Amino acid sequence: MDRELKTVWHTLTENLALELLQTTPDTGLSSDEAARRLQQYGRNELTEQAGRSPWRILWEQFTSTMALILTAAAVVSGLVGSFKDAATIFAIVILFALLGFTQDYRAERAIAALKRMAVPLVRVRRDMTVLELPSLQLVPGDIVLLEAGSVVPADCRLLEAHGLRVQESLLTGESEAVEKQTDQIATEELPLGDRRNLLFMGTLVSAGRAVAVVVATGMQTELGKIATLLQQVGQEWTPLQKRLDRLGKVLAVVSVAVAGVIFAVGMLRGEALKEMLLLAVSVAVAAIPEGLPAVVTITLALGAQRMLKRHALIRRLPAVETLGSVTVICSDKTGTLTQNRMTVTGLVGTDTLLSPSPLTPLPGGEAGQRPGEGGEYDQLLLMVGTLCNDAVLKIEDGEEVVLGDPTEGALVSAAAIAGLFRGELELSLPRIAEIPFDSVTKRMITVHHITALIPGFVSLPPLPAGGTLLAAKGALDSVLGLCSGLLVQGRVERLTEQHLQTLQAAADRFAAEGQRVLALALRVLQPGEDGRVEALEQEFVCIGLVALTDPPRQEAQEAVQRCLSAGIRPVMITGDHPLTARAIARQVGIDDSGGALTGVELDRLPPEQFDAAVATVSVYARVAPEHKLRIVDAIQRSGGVAAMTGDGVNDAPALKKADVGVAMGKVGTDVAREASDMVLLDDNFATIVAAVEEGRTIYDNIRKFVVFSVAGNTGKILAVLILPFLGMGMPLTPLQLLWLNLLTDGLLGLGMGLERPEPDVMKRPPIAPDSQIFDRRTVRYVLLTGSLIGGSCMLVTWLVWQSGGPWQTVLFASLALAQIAQAMALRSFRSSFLQMGLFSNPSLLAMAASVLLLQGLVIWLPQLQGFFRTTALTGEQLGLVLLPAVAVFLLLEGGKLAGRLGRKS
């Protein structure tokens, strides 16, 4: 058997599949043949590729643009004998590298989580004997025996299926257990959820039992393909990282170019080599916002802490900012927009359907009554649905837990709400026989002995003691095949063609809303009547319909609307049925006007039509993991920023590929959480809206800081560049410039990063992925503000120099105070300082006070004066130092006032 043979297993008969695999169901493989195949195919496990090593991550920190420039500056300082400056710069480089390392060091654990899903032991038939072996030892051709509760250990072709239903939501997105069968399926192009004769590794058998032959193990399984996709997806840079990388490169070119020009001009003028090298280093240091990486990291970390209080766990800090740039949220339906549990939404009796003015059955039970709110008719419907049922309702840790099929669990839960409990019902109506559900009849019948007289429902005669009650549920056409009558206004009428059409029309209206419809029927046998099972499938009375759905979360609709108002397009990507997907989409407010595209339809689209469809269609159904990846990739190719929410294994590759992967914390799998950037601890879709707001606010604050830093550094560069050519000597040492940058870019920048959201933050469109931090308006602002800071500080410095005072210290102090004033005015680009609130950002006020204190210590503390080369200032000199700060604050606030008045006019 060729290991690389691509076989479409669901299209083969059982015998042909066994022939290709060279095995038989009665004997299974021999031990020798199994050992040979284990050697050929390898163990049944998911292999793992190595990620980045810690050393590589640390190396990347030291080779960043800013780190390289600062390292070069330190080397030059050391070469000219300024060892103090060199040591200080090296210390700063190491500090920032370690900060970056701690944030970027993320172990690749998604594959390990996938491996933990494997079943350790499985029942296998080998050498005509049933053995219990580790699942790692399974090979293609093994005959495995499965029953309810088993986790499927490998991909298998069914040979026998007895009432088999499999929960595949983790792999296909289907919220409902899938009925399996053994028949050959002719169609090759089918979604995983429609390959009803196959079992897939990692899925759960929820009912029945099966015998199957293994067709694929390890990385060749569908779960293995997901693991492969997960490893093939590289780590994407966030928009923030891209912008900061561009900024770093621009600043690097500018600083090197300016430093080179200064050095060349100085040498041409005959200046000393050492002095010009130090001046060039000073300019390079002044141009680099050394605090930028730390401020960005700390701002994001504090934002992540705020998000944690709002039930969102940030696993990767830049994701907070990136979510603020999201243009499309690709959301899995099951467990994300919905509750991942089937729920009864309507109980519709035949009496209601056939009344003279029947109500239109709609989702939520508007036709007839909602579960538990009706009278006797509801009681009758729920009693039959509970008796004809194998699900068990348990309470664990105060929460309702359903064991069994989700649809049957929904009926049991609805009955419990109405006060009907299966255990209590079976005390007086014990089950004595059953005809289990199967794929041919699409119905289930249970037979119950009536142990005591039970009062009648809706004018039905009492159930006689010693008699027999038959309860049936299933597909409408199947249940109607049992019926000769139906219940109308408390009496049984003969079933007519008109009745059939009315019932079918009602079921169709439910189906058009994406809901599942079950029909319920009963039959009462008097004591002594023939109760043999083979004689029971006739003469039933149809009593009504039950509509079920996997309901949306209560918060989902509001969250979707808030996303829409913020310019974000929500997209549903699910493995569920198209009708269900569109119905849920309409209920939560997602646009389904473009219809629902299925995975098979996506496969048939050429690339250009695929991209066009992704740009307009917002609902996708019956999709596989690779489709989700392609959809996210198409969004990113078109310039969008994609977020993917989900909780299942099938979401993991798209979670990792997306710009922001958002996993569910309660019902989500380990695989999804490990692949994600953010985990919603409360599984609340509305928490994403809070993350969007937080992300946009953080981006605003980081942008303000970058503008603040570059404008301030522009002022420093102008002073360092111009004053020497006025005959005033070296204005500031590299150490003084580093100190200023750490005070302003570090402390003040951190305070700016904690600014509260501006009022219109959720009314703007998302930040364009290709937008620049520095557009034309921002560049103009930076140049004007930098010139204002540099010019005003140079003016007071020149006045002090003329009088023979400590002009370097005056320049050193005035630059610090001017940037404090700049930070206060730059809390908003539009609102005034007072409009933002005088005390609304106490952190910035505290940081400003810290800058004043530290700068004062450096200037007036004798122990530090020698190290920083400063001199104590007089009161008159201190007054001059304050002038640039006042001028900067008033002019920046005046500019914002002029802008507001211009927008009003």
Side-chain angles (χ1 to χ4, degrees), residues 168-187:
E168 296 181 335
S169 63
L170 292 180
L171 190 64
T172 67
E174 291 247 20
S175 58
E176 185 181 346
V178 178
E179 174 198 345
K180 294 292 185 175
Q181 47 95 7
T182 60
D183 294 341
Q184 173 188 11
I185 302 174
T187 306

Side-chain angles (χ1 to χ4, degrees), residues 782-798:
V782 166
L783 292 177
L784 292 176
T785 305
S787 300
L788 175 62
I789 293 172
S792 59
C793 290
M794 284 190 289
L795 177 61
V796 298
T797 300
W798 183 82

Side-chain angles (χ1 to χ4, degrees), residues 802-883:
Q802 288 282 26
S803 64
W807 61 273
Q808 290 100 333
T809 303
V810 168
L811 177 62
F812 186 47
S814 61
L815 284 171
L817 293 182
Q819 284 211 258
I820 291 177
Q822 180 197 8
M824 296 300 172
L826 197 56
R827 292 178 60 193
S828 171
F829 284 113
R830 291 171 291 275
S831 302
S832 70
F833 175 77
L834 294 178
Q835 285 175 331
M836 292 298 292
L838 181 61
F839 300 105
S840 62
N841 188 355
S843 298
L844 180 58
L845 295 178
M847 293 302 172
S850 299
V851 170
L852 287 173
L853 175 62
L854 292 172
Q855 191 73 347
L857 292 175
V858 167
I859 293 174
W860 278 285
L861 194 64
Q863 292 85 346
L864 295 177
Q865 288 176 339
F867 189 79
F868 283 94
R869 302 179 189 177
T870 59
T871 304
L873 300 177
T874 65
E876 181 182 352
Q877 292 163 351
L878 187 59
L880 289 173
V881 165
L882 290 173
L883 291 178

Side-chain angles (χ1 to χ4, degrees), residues 110-283:
I111 304 301
L114 277 167
K115 291 169 69 174
R116 288 198 295 271
M117 293 184 64
V119 179
L121 296 175
V122 62
R123 295 173 65 205
V124 186
R125 182 176 290 135
R126 287 183 183 173
D127 296 317
M128 301 180 65
T129 303
V130 176
L131 307 173
E132 198 170 58
L133 298 176
S135 61
L136 293 176
Q137 297 180 16
L138 283 183
V139 296
D142 264 327
I143 305 298
V144 296
L145 286 72
L146 303 170
E147 58 187 10
S150 299
V151 176
V152 179
D155 286 2
C156 304
R157 171 65 165 90
L158 278 167
L159 303 177
E160 298 179 26
H162 303 277
L164 185 66
R165 298 180 214 174
V166 179
Q167 181 58 256
E168 296 181 335
S169 63
L170 292 180
L171 190 64
T172 67
E174 291 247 20
S175 58
E176 185 181 346
V178 178
E179 174 198 345
K180 294 292 185 175
Q181 47 95 7
T182 60
D183 294 341
Q184 173 188 11
I185 302 174
T187 306
E188 290 192 11
E189 290 185 347
L190 282 179
L192 294 182
D194 292 338
R195 301 176 191 179
R196 298 302 176 93
N197 56 14
L198 297 184
L199 301 176
F200 302 107
M201 183 180 186
T203 58
L204 176 67
V205 178
S206 60
R209 60 184 181 85
V211 178
V213 58
V214 174
V215 299
T217 58
M219 297 301 287
Q220 301 303 312
T221 63
E222 294 297 330
L223 190 61
K225 293 175 184 177
I226 293 178
T228 302
L229 292 171
L230 200 59
Q231 297 180 70
Q232 290 173 348
V233 175
Q235 196 66 48
E236 301 280 337
W237 270 25
T238 69
L240 175 64
Q241 289 172 316
K242 294 173 183 176
R243 294 183 185 101
L244 293 181
D245 182 66
R246 288 195 295 266
L247 173 63
K249 291 175 180 177
V250 169
L251 292 177
V253 172
V254 170
S255 64
V256 171
V258 173
V261 169
I262 292 174
F263 179 78
V265 171
M267 294 307 296
L268 290 174
R269 294 182 56 195
E271 302 288 348
L273 175 62
K274 179 179 179 180
E275 293 298 321
M276 295 314 302
L277 283 173
L278 282 176
L279 180 59
V281 168
S282 298
V283 171

